[in-house]
Amino acid sequence: MSNPSQFLQSRTVSQPLYRRRRCSHMAAIAPIGPQLSQPSLSHPPPPKLTTVKALSESPGLSSIPSIYTFPKQPNHELVSDTKEPIPTIDFSLLISSNPDERSKTIRELGKACRDWGFFIVTNHGVPERMMKAMIEVCREFFELTEEEKGECEGKHVLDPIRYGTSFNPSVEKILYWRDYLKIFQHPSFHSPSNPPSLREIALEYSKRARGVMKEIVRGISESLGLEDKYIEKATNLENCLQIMIANLYPSCPQPELAMGLPAHSDHGLLTLLIQNDTVGLQVLHKDKWVNIHPIPNSFLANIGDHIEILSNGKYKSVLHRAVVNDRDVRISIALAHGPAADAAVSPAPMLLEDGQNPLAYRAMKYKEYVELQQSNKLDGKSCLEHIRNRGI
């Protein structure tokens, strides 16, 4: 592994994303530029919540509090272990110097984006030991005392280090069976001080994953008939906002009543997910929920809302959710890759030229889009609907 401290010391950010102001336990941030009037970015602090991990470890716990009882949706039980395999993209062929191999893989990538919105990435070049180390060090974080983890509690939806439970308890009437740690990794790198090894592992892992993401985004750009670096340039991907989200889903005594995370799509361009060997992710495919089984030494990739925006709806972000079980703890680590914070993303003009595809989405700065999602309840694709052109 390369020396991460040298990499960190060499980082320069020409335009800092946030101004800093001092708080008692960490550097907080103040957004620069215009803010959304609705929703507000911070809320009155809710009563101190017990984390799901602490709750799940309560002696004799046999039922869950009513605040975790999730109402069933009409299609909630439509679960299918489909025999139709989720697409697999061989990353080594995507970056092949053989033009025929690469062209074939780009066509496969485009089909995966159209048909599923999710795909498995193999032969990506990120060492398996690094991926396992990332999962293990996040497990170590969640094993810290509540006081130690509490030092990472954020007050603002764009705090660069934020530990919490559920999704946004300040606006939720029902809580999700999930604890999380969110860390901004790029364009400015952040890390909690504990566990001490987290900084080194996350720095190198996020850097390697960013390289994988850029090549996939180039392939997606070409699959749309655009120049390979169109999306890269249109979103200022060199300064992409990369956020690591570590999720802990403890075992639950009544998993049929609880939900790890509800149906939602991801903001941004591309999410790369790794997880332990516990099944829990479900993807909505052909109107049924499909269990996605973890595959060692691979990324599970999914396109986000901003690929749907850029493609003017040709490729669509896909609803997915996290379910829980009564036996095993699930840990997943998502790396969300978005445009640069100040990039205003809109459909590619070249995809509108034939007059058959009217502009479907209005432009919005990526930072504002993230604020919109993170400040509300997690609710399907409601943020994307917020910027949809109603004339379509």
Side-chain angles (χ1 to χ4, degrees):
M1 181 181 297
S2 61
N3 186 334
S5 62
Q6 292 178 351
F7 174 75
L8 185 59
Q9 290 167 3
S10 68
R11 293 284 297 121
T12 58
V13 182
S14 58
Q15 293 183 334
L17 188 56
Y18 310 106
R19 298 190 189 99
R20 299 188 174 279
R21 57 176 182 263
R22 298 304 302 172
C23 283
S24 59
H25 64 275
M26 61 177 286
I29 52 177
I32 297 175
Q35 300 301 301
L36 295 177
S37 57
Q38 291 292 333
S40 65
L41 300 182
S42 58
H43 303 270
K48 184 71 174 179
L49 288 171
T50 302
T51 64
V52 175
K53 181 177 184 297
L55 179 61
S56 70
E57 294 172 350
S58 302
L61 182 71
S62 59
S63 61
I64 62 174
S66 59
I67 197 171
Y68 289 96
T69 300
F70 195 83
K72 301 305 182 197
Q73 304 299 316
N75 65 345
H76 185 89
E77 303 298 338
L78 294 176
V79 178
S80 169
D81 275 308
T82 177
K83 293 181 180 179
E84 179 185 353
I86 185 171
T88 297
I89 301 299
D90 186 331
F91 184 78
S92 67
L93 299 181
L94 184 63
I95 61 173
S96 172
S97 58
N98 182 317
D100 292 336
E101 286 184 340
R102 188 169 185 277
S103 294
K104 180 175 182 290
T105 307
I106 287 173
R107 290 195 298 271
E108 292 172 349
L109 178 60
K111 187 174 190 304
C113 290
R114 284 193 307 274
D115 294 352
W116 277 82
F118 274 75
F119 48 91
I120 295 163
V121 182
T122 60
N123 297 323
H124 44 69
V126 180
E128 185 174 14
R129 67 180 182 278
M130 186 183 295
M131 302 169 85
K132 289 181 175 179
M134 194 68 246
I135 293 172
E136 176 60 21
V137 77
C138 286
R139 184 195 65 77
E140 291 175 13
F141 173 85
F142 289 117
E143 291 292 336
L144 296 174
T145 66
E146 294 303 313
E147 290 75 20
E148 289 172 313
K149 289 182 289 189
E151 294 179 0
C152 297
E153 287 184 354
K155 307 302 181 186
H156 186 289
V157 297
L158 289 180
D159 276 348
I161 301 175
R162 190 156 62 102
Y163 165 69
T165 191
S166 191
F167 179 76
N168 189 356
S170 62
V171 297
E172 291 164 347
K173 295 180 180 179
I174 299 170
L175 301 181
Y176 305 117
W177 199 261
R178 171 233 194 192
D179 296 335
Y180 66 84
L181 173 67
K182 297 183 180 183
I183 321 169
F184 283 24
Q185 303 285 277
H186 189 78
S188 181
F189 178 84
H190 299 269
S191 177
S193 56
N194 283 310
S197 59
L198 177 55
R199 170 177 288 272
E200 177 180 354
I201 296 169
L203 180 63
E204 185 67 15
Y205 173 73
S206 61
K207 177 184 175 184
R208 297 287 290 266
R210 237 175 10 255
V212 173
M213 174 275 298
K214 286 182 179 179
E215 293 294 342
I216 293 174
V217 167
R218 288 172 184 169
I220 291 173
S221 190
E222 286 191 72
S223 76
L224 287 165
L226 304 171
E227 184 249 339
D228 65 339
K229 293 187 178 180
Y230 175 82
I231 295 177
E232 194 171 338
K233 295 173 182 176
T235 62
N236 187 12
L237 203 56
E238 189 62 33
N239 292 309
C240 72
L241 183 56
Q242 183 190 44
I243 307 173
M244 180 180 292
I245 307 103
N247 302 294
L248 179 78
Y249 303 101
S251 59
C252 177
Q254 294 177 297
E256 71 281 2
L257 301 181
M259 181 63 68
L261 276 177
H264 65 282
S265 61
D266 290 350
H267 61 75
L269 300 168
L270 190 77
T271 300
L272 295 175
L273 183 97
I274 59 175
Q275 55 191 319
N276 65 358
D277 57 4
T278 300
V279 177
L281 177 66
Q282 295 182 339
V283 173
L284 191 63
H285 180 64
K286 297 181 178 178
D287 297 323
K288 289 188 177 181
W289 291 106
V290 178
N291 289 312
I292 304 297
H293 297 270
I295 297 178
N297 196 26
S298 68
F299 287 113
L300 179 64
N302 66 281
I303 57 175
D305 292 346
H306 287 75
I307 289 294
E308 179 165 342
I309 294 168
L310 279 156
S311 70
N312 203 43
K314 183 174 182 179
Y315 297 164
K316 297 187 185 301
S317 57
V318 173
L319 294 178
H320 53 287
R321 67 185 187 183
V323 297
V324 295
N325 69 84
D326 59 3
R327 303 173 307 281
D328 302 312
V329 174
R330 178 171 177 256
I331 295 176
S332 69
I333 302 167
L335 272 176
H337 300 90
D342 286 327
V345 179
S346 59
M350 295 76 83
L351 300 178
L352 311 174
E353 287 176 350
D354 62 4
Q356 302 300 312
N357 300 298
L359 187 74
Y361 304 98
R362 61 182 175 84
M364 173 185 277
K365 283 188 177 182
Y366 182 55
K367 178 174 64 174
E368 295 177 352
Y369 193 94
V370 174
E371 290 169 350
L372 181 68
Q373 190 205 54
Q374 298 292 305
S375 299
N376 284 280
K377 294 184 293 184
L378 202 56
D379 181 22
K381 299 177 74 168
S382 58
C383 291
L384 198 57
E385 290 302 313
H386 180 77
I387 63 168
R388 186 182 295 276
N389 184 344
R390 299 300 177 183
I392 300 300

